[in-house]
Amino acid sequence: MIQAPAPPPPSRRRHDREIISLAVPAFGALVAEPLFVMVDSAIVGHLGTPQLAGLAVAAALLTTAVSIFVFLAYATTAAVARRVGAGDLASAIRQGMDGIWLALLLGVVVIALALPTAPWLVDVFGASDTAAPYATTYLRISSLGIPAMLVVMAATGVLRGLQDTRTPLYVAVGGFAANGALNAGLVYGAGLGIAGSAWGTVIAQVAMAAVYLIVVVRGARRHGASLRPDAAGIRASAQAGVPLLVRTLSLRAVLLIATAVAARLGDTEIAAHQIILSLWSLMAFALDAIAIAGQAIIGRYLGADDAGGAREACRRMVQWGIVSGVVFGALIVLARPLFVPLFTGDRSVQDALVPALLVVALSQPIAGVVFVLDGVLMGAGDGPYLAWAMLVTLAVFAPVALLVPVIGGGLTALWWAMTLMMAVRLVTLWLRTRSGKWIVTGATR
C-alpha cells in the first residue's frame, strides 16, 4: 500500500505562510514601480519622437539617482524588524523615523545638485539637440519629487520591518492609477506637454509619500514614539546605509559594464542584450520579493534572540529560492517561442537572443539562492560583508566581461560572464551564511 507523503512540520508551514504573506504583496509593489515610467512613455510617446527621446534620457538619470538610495528601504527594514522582534514597537518606529528624516535630507541635497546641472547631465547622456530641451525640462521638474520618492523608500522599509507589505502594495497601486490620470490630464487636457507628464509624476509621488507619513505618524502616536529628528539616530541610519550603498553601486557597475560590452559587440547584440536584460530584471523583481520577506523575517527573529528560528527561516527561504529559480528557468525555455517575437521581428536579433537566453534560464536557480541569501544578510544587518562581497564580485566580473569582445563568443559569452558573476555572489554569500557570523541577536546589531 502506497503511503501518503508526511505533511510538512508545523515550523515549515509557519515559515511558508510568512514568506507568502510578505513576498506576494512585495512583488506587486515592486512591479508597480517601473509601471510609472511605462505610463509616462505611453502618454509622452504620442507627443512626438523628440519628446519620447527626452523622456528616455531623463528617466534613466532619475532611475539611476533614486536607485542609489535603495539602502533607505533595506537598512530601515532590518533595523525596524530587529526592534519588532525585541517587542519594542516604539523604538522600532523611532528607528523608522530616523530613516525617513535621512531620506528628506538626502532628497534636498539631490534637488540642489540636479536643478543647476540638469542641462549638463542631459548632454553627458548623449541626448540629441532636439531631445535635450525636453529631457532638461522633464528632469528639472521631476527632480522636485525626489524627496518624496526617497521618503517612500524609507517608509516602505519601516512597514516591511513591521511585517506589513500590504500597505506598500495598496499605496503603489493607488500611486500608479493617480500617475496615469494626472499625466493624461496635464499633458493633453491642460496642454502642458512633457512638463505635464513630469508634474503628474511629482504630484503622484508626493501623494504617496503623504499617505506613508500618515500611516507612520499614526503608528508613532499609538506607541508613543517621538517624531522629532534625532541627529544621532539619523547619523546611525546613514552609517548603516553606507555599506549597502557600496553594494548597490558595485552592482550598478556590473550592469553598466555588461551594457557597454554588448554595445561594443554591435547593434544586433545590444538590441538582444536589452531584451534579455528586461526579462532578467523581471525575474529579479520576483526573486527580490522573497528577499524582502527574508529581510523582515530574519530581522525579527534575531531581534527576538531566536538564532534557531533565524537559521530555520533562512534554510526554508533558500529552498524557496531554488524552486523559484527552477520554475523561472523552465518558463523562459518553454515560453521562448511565444515572447521572443513580441520583442523583435528581426531575425538576426532573434538568432543572437536565443542562445544567450538559454544561459539566463540555466542561471535562474543560482539567482534564486543569491537573492534569498542577499536578503537574509541584509535582514541580519550584515551590510559591511555584503559590500566587500560585491566588490570582490565586481573585481572578478569586470576583466572577464571586458575580454568578451577580444576572445569572441558574442552575446552568449557575455551572459556566461554574467552567470559567473552570479556564481561568485553565490559562493561569497553561501560561505558567510554557513559560517554563522551573520547571526547577531538583540534589538541592535
Side-chain angles (χ1 to χ4, degrees), residues 226-376:
S226 174
L227 297 173
R228 295 179 180 178
D230 176 66
I234 294 172
R235 186 165 54 251
S237 294
Q239 290 172 347
V242 168
L244 295 181
L245 174 62
V246 172
R247 168 202 167 273
T248 301
L249 289 174
S250 300
L251 183 56
R252 296 292 299 182
V254 165
L255 298 178
L256 287 172
I257 290 171
T259 300
V261 170
R264 290 182 61 188
L265 295 175
D267 290 347
T268 297
E269 285 75 10
I270 187 62
H273 175 76
Q274 184 58 37
I275 295 171
I276 294 174
L277 195 59
S278 298
L279 292 168
W280 190 78
S281 298
L282 180 61
M283 299 297 102
F285 277 131
L287 295 173
D288 203 29
I290 303 175
I292 287 169
Q295 293 170 32
I297 294 170
I298 294 297
R300 192 189 75 234
Y301 273 117
L302 294 178
D305 293 324
D306 187 354
R311 287 193 186 92
E312 191 177 326
C314 173
R315 189 178 304 111
R316 187 57 181 159
M317 280 182 283
V318 166
Q319 293 170 354
W320 271 77
I322 294 172
V323 171
S324 299
V326 170
V327 170
F328 292 154
L331 284 175
I332 290 173
V333 173
L334 296 175
R336 185 182 74 249
L338 300 177
F339 66 76
V340 168
L342 294 178
F343 283 100
T344 178
D346 189 323
R347 190 66 188 178
S348 62
V349 174
Q350 291 183 4
D351 290 342
L353 176 67
V354 171
L357 202 58
L358 293 176
V359 175
V360 174
L362 290 172
S363 70
Q364 285 306 296
I366 297 174
V369 178
V370 166
F371 275 80
V372 166
L373 294 182
D374 205 39
V376 166

Side-chain angles (χ1 to χ4, degrees), residues 61-87:
L61 285 164
L62 284 166
T63 301
T64 300
V66 173
S67 64
I68 288 172
F69 300 109
V70 73
F71 69 83
L72 289 167
Y74 293 161
T76 303
T77 297
V80 171
R82 274 184 175 270
R83 286 159 176 79
V84 168

